[in-house]
Amino acid sequence: MITADNLLLAMAVIILTGLAFSKLCKLIHIPNVTGYLVGGLLIGPGLLGLIPGFDGIISADAVQALKVVVNIELGFIAFTIGVDFKKEYLKKIGPKPIIMAFLESFFAVVVVAGLVLCFTPIIKSNLNLTTKEVVAFAIALGSIGAATAPAATLMVIKQYRAKGSLTDTLVAVVAVDDASALIFFGIAMAIVEILSPEGSKNLALSISLPFIEILISIVIGIIVGAILCFLIHFFHGRGTRVSCAISCILGAVGLTFLLNDIGKENNLNVSDLFAVMILGAVFTNFAPDEDEAQVNELLERFTPPFIIMFFVLSGAELDFGNFADTSILIVLVIAICCYVVGRTFGKFVGVLSAGELLKCEKKITKLLSLGLMPQGGVALGLSVMIGRLGIFNSTEETIIRTTIIASCFLTELFGPLFTKYMLFKAGEADPALK
């Protein structure tokens, strides 16, 4: 059993590891998230645990005990997504980016799941699964394909001073993308639960459950968002205001967990990410502009240690002992190839379809999908949420998590290069910076 002093030391080592690897990433010009994940791999029990008698610099018990940090950071991630949905901004961008975001998200989910299903016989034989279990595995993996990490894309846009219709559309789409990803994830998880042996036997309840869960998330977000707006009106100090925001974010997350525990017999899975996203949207639209801006600035200063711990822990949590089995390694390679290729192709088809449907400029229709490659915090968070369902065995969970981490590594590494090419190809980047 891990003691308090060991846990504190583990947190210190995790943060210092993240800081060290972020410096290394700057030297070799790759995104910080890649360094955090690699740092976690190198200090965690999953890789070093392969050495007989050694449990890693950070033990498996410490990683398990710090799972609460993951839930806290997921709440912060969802809040930052929500505050992007200011009503003035939504009026300005119109419905086109929203439609495009939903279509590219939908096709990413469908194509990834479809590609995985093409290998059903191999997956069945190597993991000893039924056809129904393989379908659930494919849907679960595909459900994460919709998510896009906007940070890397926005940094490239800023670096090359890009301006124009393609740039404006890309910024709007990546802002909406994670909201659409959460919706598709919720629906996909409901389908997975129906397919699972432990799933609900009431078909009507199973079909209506995702919509009930989304409705409950919206209600929680609205109520807690209203409470936050009320608290901000009465507390004016910087410390007290950021405390109000943090307490409301944690409260919304905790409330969804409580409701899920109460409704676990009916497989209730209210999304804490979606609830906090609605909370952020309510806050940004109903709090005074100067108050909202101050709270967001304070949260940006407060959250970096949690961001570092979230990504380092995601890398540290991987257990490579499972992949000593050749059959499991085969499935992992198939999953990574299907996920990376399927997600890329799905995003392209979705943007192409939306562009033709909405009569967008050719450069938007043909090039915009190149700016949607990176994945990061939300994708990793969704892979964590899959583990919470308790539907998949440890091997399937490990394959899903490893696939998503591999995708984050590859897309955060090469995604910015595609974005740069897109901006210069469209003639919207500053030529002097080429």
Side-chain angles (χ1 to χ4, degrees), residues 173-229:
V173 170
V174 295
V176 178
D177 183 273
D178 284 330
S180 63
L182 290 177
I183 292 172
F184 284 119
F185 179 80
I187 295 171
M189 287 303 97
I191 297 172
V192 167
E193 289 185 27
I194 293 172
L195 293 172
S196 71
E198 296 80 17
S200 174
K201 307 304 180 185
N202 187 326
L203 184 60
L205 177 61
S206 297
I207 294 173
S208 61
L209 197 58
F211 302 100
I212 295 172
E213 291 167 348
I214 289 172
L215 180 61
I216 294 173
S217 296
I218 291 172
V219 172
I220 291 173
I222 291 173
I223 292 173
V224 181
I227 293 172
L228 178 55
C229 291

Side-chain angles (χ1 to χ4, degrees), residues 70-81:
V70 174
N71 295 328
I72 293 172
E73 176 52 23
L74 288 177
F76 290 137
I77 289 172
F79 187 80
T80 58
I81 294 170

Side-chain angles (χ1 to χ4, degrees), residues 228 231-248 294-295 298-299:
L228 178 55
L231 291 173
I232 293 298
H233 180 71
F234 285 98
F235 292 95
H236 303 288
R238 295 163 65 88
T240 52
R241 281 188 163 179
V242 75
S243 298
C244 291
I246 293 169
S247 64
C248 286
Q294 184 189 51
V295 170
L298 292 170
L299 281 175

Side-chain angles (χ1 to χ4, degrees), residues 314-334:
S314 294
E317 196 176 4
L318 285 177
D319 183 3
F320 287 91
N322 287 331
F323 303 132
D325 187 331
T326 304
S327 61
I328 296 175
L329 187 59
I330 290 171
V331 176
L332 175 65
V333 172
I334 290 173

